């Protein structure tokens, strides 16, 4: 299985900050990567697919980049609604796997 | 609107069987793969397996192969996840998900989740 490693596991930031979350794959996954946001008690919600394609309805302050084994999710100006946990997911090959998650907390 | 609506929370004892459901609406149910994702309390997301309701082709994560059964009834646009003998370690939230681009893809949308609690 392809292992997905996210860093950091927790990130403390303030409203208005720009934050970046990294996701590394144990082998190349081309651009077959998605990002999700999960708020407490809720199902995850798709933000980005194919590494950098923004899902319809997702604010443009979210962006994704990368290919191969290293990927990033950037939130350009953190809003109160963005404090949540973020997961990456590879869909290059079975088993489909998720990163361990990054919790974005209020500083 | 594409929606996945899951069955309600379950409280079971070890050794009991269980089948939870996920009803798809707002799209052609037989043309998209439906998967299941586990989230244990306070933990991350784990892909369990996926089914194509059109022909019931099913793929499992090796971690869950033999532990659960995924099925679908296209006549009522519903997918299922079932256990024949629950363990306390099956306590988790279970989400059904749709894969828009085939058996290997991202997941959108997600069901609201079904909480399964198993007591020993």
């Amino acid at each position: 299985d392809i292992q997905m490693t996210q860093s950091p596991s927790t990130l403390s930031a303030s409203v208005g900050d720009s934050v970046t979350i990294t996701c590394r794959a144990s082998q190349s996954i081309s651009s077959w990567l998605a990002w999700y946001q999960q708020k407490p008690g809720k199902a995850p919600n798709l933000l980005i697919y194919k590494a950098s394609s923004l899902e319809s309805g997702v604010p443009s302050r979210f962006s994704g980049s990368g290919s191969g084994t290293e990927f990033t999710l950037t939130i350009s100006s953190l809003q109160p609604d963005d404090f949540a946990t973020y997961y990456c997911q590879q869909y290059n090959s079975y088993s489909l796997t998720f990163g361990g998650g990054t919790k974005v907390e209020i500083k | 609107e594409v929606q996945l609506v899951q069955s309600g929370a379950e409280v079971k004892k070890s050794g009991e069987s269980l089948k939870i459901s996920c009803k798809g609406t707002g799209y052609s149910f037989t043309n998209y793969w439906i998967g299941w994702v586990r989230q244990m309390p306070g933990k991350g997301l784990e892909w369990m397996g996926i089914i194509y309701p059109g022909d019931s082709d099913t793929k499992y994560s090796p971690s869950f192969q033999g532990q659960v059964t995924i099925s679908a009834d296209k006549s009522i646009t519903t997918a299922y996840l079932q256990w024949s003998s629950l363990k306390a370690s099956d306590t988790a939230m279970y989400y059904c998900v749709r894969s828009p681009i085939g058996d290997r893809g991202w997941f959108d949308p997600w069901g609201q989740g079904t909480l399964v609690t198993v007591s020993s």
Side-chain angles (χ1 to χ4, degrees), chain B residues 42-113:
Chain B
K43 302 298 185 184
L45 305 168
E46 301 171 271
W47 177 76
M48 301 176 71
I50 199 163
I51 187 167
Y52 188 71
D55 62 7
S56 293
D57 186 15
T58 309
K59 303 176 193 294
Y60 292 94
S61 161
S63 298
F64 293 94
Q65 178 88 47
Q67 308 304 308
V68 297
T69 301
I70 294 171
S71 60
D73 184 340
K74 57 188 178 184
S75 69
I76 54 171
T77 68
T78 300
Y80 300 96
L81 178 66
Q82 70 180 88
W83 296 259
S84 58
S85 181
L86 286 160
K87 302 187 271 290
S89 58
D90 292 318
T91 294
M93 182 71 81
Y94 294 88
Y95 295 103
C96 63
V97 294
R98 191 185 78 157
S99 178
I101 61 161
D103 60 328
R104 280 179 289 164
W106 61 89
F107 302 134
D108 182 60
W110 293 58
Q112 83 276 21

Side-chain angles (χ1 to χ4, degrees), chain A residues 45-104:
Chain A
N45 185 50
L46 176 70
L47 299 174
I48 302 273
Y49 60 94
K50 207 175 177 187
S52 60
S53 296
L54 192 68
E55 170 68 353
S56 176
V58 174
S60 59
R61 62 181 179 273
F62 291 91
S63 64
S65 66
S67 66
T69 62
E70 187 149 336
F71 302 85
T72 59
L73 173 71
T74 298
I75 311 172
S76 61
S77 176
L78 207 59
Q79 298 301 300
D81 192 48
D82 302 336
F83 292 96
T85 301
Y86 295 84
Y87 293 94
C88 61
Q89 177 231 334
Q90 68 82 18
Y91 51 95
N92 178 76
S93 59
Y94 288 121
S95 296
L96 309 184
T97 45
F98 292 89
T102 295
K103 186 175 182 180
V104 177

